[in-house]
Amino acid sequence: AAGLFDTYEKTTWGIGWEARWGGPWETAVQYIRADEGKCSLSGGVACDTDGLDGSLLTAGLAYPFDRQTLLYVILTRLTNGESARYDNWNDGSAGRGADSTQFALGMSYRF
């Protein structure tokens, strides 16, 4: 039948950087990007991927007290294209094209 979804291809890439500074401070930055891609429908029907792009920028700072314990703070900004619905919270509440900013503060203990 004409107009049924056939294929959707997109390129997604990411880059990250982590560093320890003089003293105990540790930092990390990560950027992930997904392009709009391209699609095809059966029967030669036109397919549009405008606005299906998105990006995620995350920055973190940590202060280790010893080899096992550290405090950290993380800031994340998720940006969706006007038709995209990427969601890094995974509860399905993000609306189409909605952006979000998240903040985390925590402690990690390694056994």
Side-chain angles (χ1 to χ4, degrees):
L4 296 177
F5 183 76
D6 191 20
T7 64
Y8 175 54
E9 298 176 8
K10 65 179 177 178
T11 301
T12 303
W13 59 273
I15 187 168
W17 175 75
E18 183 177 341
R20 291 186 178 174
W21 304 95
W25 293 100
E26 300 175 14
T27 57
V29 177
Q30 181 181 42
Y31 181 74
I32 301 170
R33 175 90 184 144
D35 67 7
E36 293 178 331
K38 59 183 178 178
C39 64
S40 64
L41 301 176
S42 61
V45 177
C47 187
D48 185 12
T49 60
D50 288 344
L52 292 179
D53 57 323
S55 64
L56 178 71
L57 177 62
T58 303
L61 177 67
Y63 184 87
F65 290 103
D66 54 40
R67 290 180 54 118
Q68 295 175 300
T69 309
L70 64 87
L71 290 177
Y72 64 86
V73 61
I74 302 171
L75 180 63
T76 300
R77 176 70 177 161
L78 175 65
T79 305
N80 280 307
E82 63 187 33
S83 298
R85 196 169 175 175
Y86 293 106
D87 184 2
N88 61 333
W89 188 254
N90 201 25
D91 69 349
S93 65
R96 188 176 320 276
D99 300 336
S100 68
T101 301
Q102 296 171 338
F103 176 82
L105 177 64
M107 182 181 82
S108 174
Y109 184 80
R110 300 174 193 137
F111 293 96

